[in-house]
Structure formats: structure tokens, C-alpha cells
Amino acid sequence: MGHTNESSWVPSVTLLVGIGRTGTAALLVGADGRVRGDADMVFEGRPVHPSGAVRHKESGVLSLALHEVEPEVERIVIAGPAGPGSLAAMAPDREVVVAWLIAAPEDAEAVVFGEFFRESGGWKFTGIGEGYASGLAELVTAYGVGGGGSAKSGAEAGAGTEAPSQALARSPWRVLSAQAAPARPAPEAGGPPAPATQPAPAPVAPPVPTAQPAPVAPPFPAGLPHASRPYELVAGWEFGPVFEPFTATGEGERVVRTDGRVPPGPVLVEAAREGGGYFGVFSLAKFGRDDDIIANTTLQDFAGSSVVRAPGDRPLQLRVDARVGNRWALRVSPVAAARHLTGTLSGRGPEALLYTGGAADLRVQVEADEKGRGYVSMAYHEVAGRTTLLTHPAVAVSGTGPLAHTVPIPAGPLLMLFETDAPWTLTVREID
């Protein structure tokens, strides 16, 4: 992913976070910018949060299971002793999702390097680099550690844990004064602590999304095939970044460039076209060559979708090839907005589908296309713990002509990419 800009999306999976040296700590803070109690600070002297979602591992590496963090926790602050270096976060598939250069503030003994915070149901990272001259005692007090919050005490959190005042005395954080600094006023909800003379608010995280329609994206224009399909997120789906959808409409040929709301990673691209003739939609590689195919069809009043990877070094670009006068619309959304495969599902043309059930038998029925033939291909990606698409996904079905076939599929979460130019019906029956 390379160097990360502020407020970059990260996947909601277990991340390994480190700064290349010992002494890192994580503070789990709520909407008021403070910990609920001393147990919300995780470091070498208290290596496991009571929830189990945040852990301090060997060599100062922190494990953050973002998908398991308690809903009361709005932000996870990463701090450590002052010094130049870099903060990196790696996903389970070894993809580096954060690479943040750390500049040591002058006259600082401890530094808040950055934080992970909730937004639109997902997680983002932002770099901070705020220094504390009095060291760790000042830093942790600013976040409410030692302030008698409501979280479990060290004794309640589990055997072998100890109070911060005891554990910190033996940690590499011993660049601080013996006495804790006076407590400062709590920052505004959702914002990082800042010097008392200059508060610095940050975005307040919206609530976790549900399967209900989200009000953040307009539907496709009236009259286009996808107008009846609202933007909504499949509850519990974690693969791919969460963001506000990008939409574009036009006629004929055009290259569409997404704006800054589309982050790097796998994204859903929906395409719809009124009329007939050839219609193609392709993502573009770095030097303008066609890359992934979203649509390549002559279907009348086409509607379809696929998943492509938005690059991290430039905007996602989509090339549309359509007849003059043919109206079309594109929508780029989180993968979690794809249709959910449960029971029986019907469609016409290519589509990206999400499956979250157990191991099952999948009945695939494809009719003849407009020329009396039929083509179908379905590949599935097992996406648990991943941030990128598999290079070689499993192929469930591949054939031509009208088709009626039953295939086994493993337990989800699966991203299923279905390709056909004909009407189809899928029926999934979980295996007891």
C-alpha cells in the first residue's frame, strides 16, 4: 500500500501494528476521548485487553482484531517513546495496509503516533505525531488512565496483570517523571487529545452499518435498470473498505475517474445501460490499458456488476464503450453492497454475490441467451482474513449452452463472481 495518507481506510480484520522497536502501547478510548478505566491501556505490563481484541505481543508488536473491538470503543490510539521511525500495520494475508513515517517532535519524551477510528461502519487510520514533554505519565493521564474509570481494574482484568503505575515503572516508557501530570479537560467526542491551548477535534464515527438502506448514496437515475436496487450493506461482511459510493452517468464513450472517496482495495462496480448494441465497461491499468472486465455484452437494457481492485497510487479509472445515445450509469460501492445469496436468487447477466452461510449445495440454472446459446462461469473467493482478491479463485461452474448443475461450495464468507449473458437462477441449500 505504500505511504499512507491521513484518514486512510483499513480492513476490519486482525492487524499486526508495530513501530520497529519496543515500547508501543494501545489505548482504547470512547466517544469522550478517554479510556473507561486502566484496563483500556494495553502494553507490555498488561499485554491483553479484557475483551481479547487488542494484545501486546513480542518485540513491541500490537495485535488489533478490529472486527472484535467492543462497540463502546470509538478509537484505538497507538503511542510509544519518542524517536524517529515508521508505523506499519499488516493484515493476515501479509498485505501492508498502513505505512506511516514518524517524525519525533522536539523536546518530547512520548508520542501519539496515530490512531485507528471508526467511520461509516469501517475503520480508518490517521497519523498524529503529537508529543508529550513530560513523557508517558502526561500522555496516559490525558486519555484518562489512572482516572478511576468504569472499566475493569488490573485485578479484575485477569491474573498476572498489574496497575499501570507498577507496570510502567519497569517498562521502556521510563522516560517520564515519577509523578503523573495533571489531568487535562477531555477533548471533544471523537477527537484526539491535544495541548490544552489548542484542542484538535477529529471526525466523530457514525454508527455501525446494518442491512438497512444507507442514506449516503443516491440511486441510479430513474429509468435505468438499477434504479430499483438501493444501496445497502450486508450486515457482518468485512471484506473490502467501507466508503460512500461514487456514481457517474453519461452517454456513449467515456473514461470515468473516481474521486477521493473511493479508497484502495477491492470495490464493487455496478453498470447499467438503456438500449441495445455493444456495451463494455473496463477498469484501466496504470498506463491506460484495459484491465478487469465489468461488462462486455450486447444484452438489451443491461445491468450487471463485478469486483475490481481500486489502486492506491491513483484514482480508479473505468472506460465505458457504448453507442452514441445509449444512456448508462456506474456506481462504485463497498463490496458489502453486493447482493446477498440466500435461498433462491434470480438475475440476468454478470453479477457479484456475497455468501455468508455454511457449507452448501448450489443449484445453478442458466437459460439460453438471445441467440439460443448460453455461457456461464462462476468463481468464488474465500475472503476471511484477506484484504485482496485471490490470484487463483476456485471455479464452481464453467460451461456453455443451457445449464442445470449442482455444485458444492464451502462455508462463507465467499465472494462469488458470476458471469453469463443469459437469465439465471441460483438456489443454495446448506448442508446440515
Side-chain angles (χ1 to χ4, degrees):
M1 186 170 179
H3 184 76
T4 301
N5 294 322
E6 290 192 8
S7 298
S8 297
W9 292 96
V10 296
S12 298
V13 297
T14 300
L15 302 180
L16 295 180
V17 180
I19 59 171
R21 58 182 184 271
T22 59
T24 53
L27 296 100
L28 289 73
V29 303
D32 62 353
R34 298 172 68 84
V35 298
R36 297 163 295 177
D38 293 350
D40 277 344
M41 180 177 176
V42 177
F43 66 117
E44 62 179 353
R46 178 177 283 127
V48 182
H49 188 263
S51 68
V54 179
R55 299 171 181 267
H56 187 282
K57 303 171 75 69
E58 296 180 359
S59 302
V61 174
L62 295 164
S63 172
L64 312 182
L66 296 179
H67 55 299
E68 297 178 2
V69 174
E70 299 160 295
E72 298 82 7
V73 175
E74 296 285 338
R75 296 183 289 128
I76 302 175
V77 177
I78 308 299
S86 62
L87 181 150
M90 185 173 67
D93 60 0
R94 306 190 69 81
E95 176 87 358
V96 176
V97 298
V98 172
W100 178 256
L101 297 178
I102 300 169
E106 293 184 5
D107 301 323
E109 297 289 353
V111 178
V112 172
F113 303 127
E115 66 180 21
F116 296 85
F117 63 94
R118 297 185 190 271
E119 182 165 309
S120 300
W123 287 87
K124 279 186 171 182
F125 171 83
T126 187
I128 296 177
E130 181 187 355
Y132 289 78
S134 297
L136 178 62
E138 180 189 7
L139 188 156
V140 301
T141 302
Y143 284 94
V145 175
S150 60
K152 297 178 182 178
S153 67
E156 295 170 321
T161 60
E162 49 190 345
S165 59
Q166 297 172 317
L168 292 175
R170 291 188 295 280
S171 80
W173 289 82
R174 283 188 296 108
V175 290
L176 53 103
S177 61
Q179 300 296 322
R184 294 190 291 180
E188 294 182 11
T197 56
Q198 192 175 2
V204 177
V208 176
T210 68
Q212 299 300 315
V216 295
F220 278 7
L224 287 177
H226 270 303
S228 60
R229 174 162 148 62
Y231 168 73
E232 60 185 29
L233 301 180
V234 172
W237 186 266
E238 297 172 354
F239 178 71
V242 179
F243 56 97
E244 293 187 4
F246 168 89
T247 59
T249 59
E251 295 182 1
E253 297 183 0
R254 181 177 163 189
V255 172
V256 175
R257 293 174 176 82
T258 60
D259 57 23
R261 84 188 74 180
V262 179
V267 297
L268 175 71
V269 180
E270 297 172 282
R273 183 274 307 268
E274 285 184 329
Y278 178 73
F279 181 60
V281 181
F282 310 87
S283 65
L284 296 182
K286 189 170 185 177
F287 298 106
R289 295 188 297 271
D290 290 348
D291 194 4
D292 292 318
I293 300 173
I294 293 95
N296 186 25
T297 184
T298 57
L299 279 178
Q300 184 82 13
D301 295 332
F302 170 87
S305 65
S306 189
V307 171
V308 303
R309 187 184 188 282
D313 59 347
R314 65 191 188 282
L316 173 64
Q317 299 183 78
L318 303 170
R319 182 177 72 85
V320 181
D321 187 351
R323 285 182 173 179
V324 175
N326 274 183
R327 291 204 314 148
W328 50 260
L330 303 177
R331 179 164 63 192
V332 182
S333 308
V335 177
R339 277 214 288 175
H340 194 189
L341 175 57
T342 58
T344 297
L345 199 64
S346 297
R348 181 172 173 265
E351 189 150 3
L353 302 168
L354 311 183
Y355 179 66
T356 58
D361 289 329
L362 179 65
R363 181 70 171 173
V364 182
Q365 294 177 277
V366 180
E367 302 175 21
D369 63 16
E370 295 174 342
K371 297 181 180 179
R373 299 170 299 181
Y375 167 76
V376 59
S377 173
M378 175 178 281
Y380 61 82
H381 297 256
E382 299 182 72
V383 299
R386 295 191 58 82
T387 60
T388 58
L389 294 171
L390 293 169
T391 304
H392 302 290
V395 177
V397 179
S398 180
T400 58
L403 181 147
H405 196 47
T406 299
V407 295
I409 57 173
L414 303 178
L415 168 62
M416 312 186 80
L417 299 181
F418 194 46
E419 298 181 20
T420 183
D421 259 5
W424 51 263
T425 301
L426 302 178
T427 302
V428 61
R429 293 186 176 89
E430 293 191 42
I431 301 171
D432 295 334

